[in-house]
Amino acid sequence: QVQLVESGGGLVQAGESLRVSCVASGINIASQMIDQMRWFRQTPGSGRELVASLRHSGTTLYGDSVKGRFAISTDDAKNTMYLQMSNLKPEDTAVYLCNLKMWTNTNHWGQGTQVTVSS
């Protein structure tokens, strides 16, 4: 059974940095069965917004609002994916969720970690 557990969220001030983590169990994140490793964010009353994605080829994709400020990465030895967030803005406040999209189109989700940016 695949489980994803996020951590590292918190309250920061605008302009500061934060790194959130997502530890996977029940699957090796280096597995070629994974199409994309992704981070989404969600705010009350809105849908999930794709923040960043990473493929095993190294190809990354970022949402327009976070380009140049956020970076997605993985540590295969720790079976963990990360989202490094810099120059945070109040509009980055959201619950951040990690996701593994399989080639079968199955999606695995974490429970999310809250990031709050004060102005």
Side-chain angles (χ1 to χ4, degrees), residues 11-73:
L11 173 63
V12 296
Q13 292 189 333
E16 293 184 340
S17 299
L18 193 66
R19 188 179 76 167
V20 292
S21 305
C22 173
V23 178
S25 60
I27 190 168
N28 187 331
I29 63 170
S31 169
Q32 295 300 314
M33 295 177 64
I34 298 172
D35 172 22
Q36 297 178 55
M37 293 162 280
R38 303 186 290 186
W39 284 96
F40 287 78
R41 65 187 181 188
Q42 186 166 17
T43 55
S46 69
R48 288 178 180 175
E49 174 192 6
L50 177 64
V51 175
S53 71
L54 172 65
R55 287 195 148 110
H56 290 307
S57 64
T59 301
T60 56
L61 177 70
Y62 294 95
D64 288 341
S65 62
V66 306
K67 281 180 183 176
R69 299 188 298 122
F70 288 15
I72 186 172
S73 64

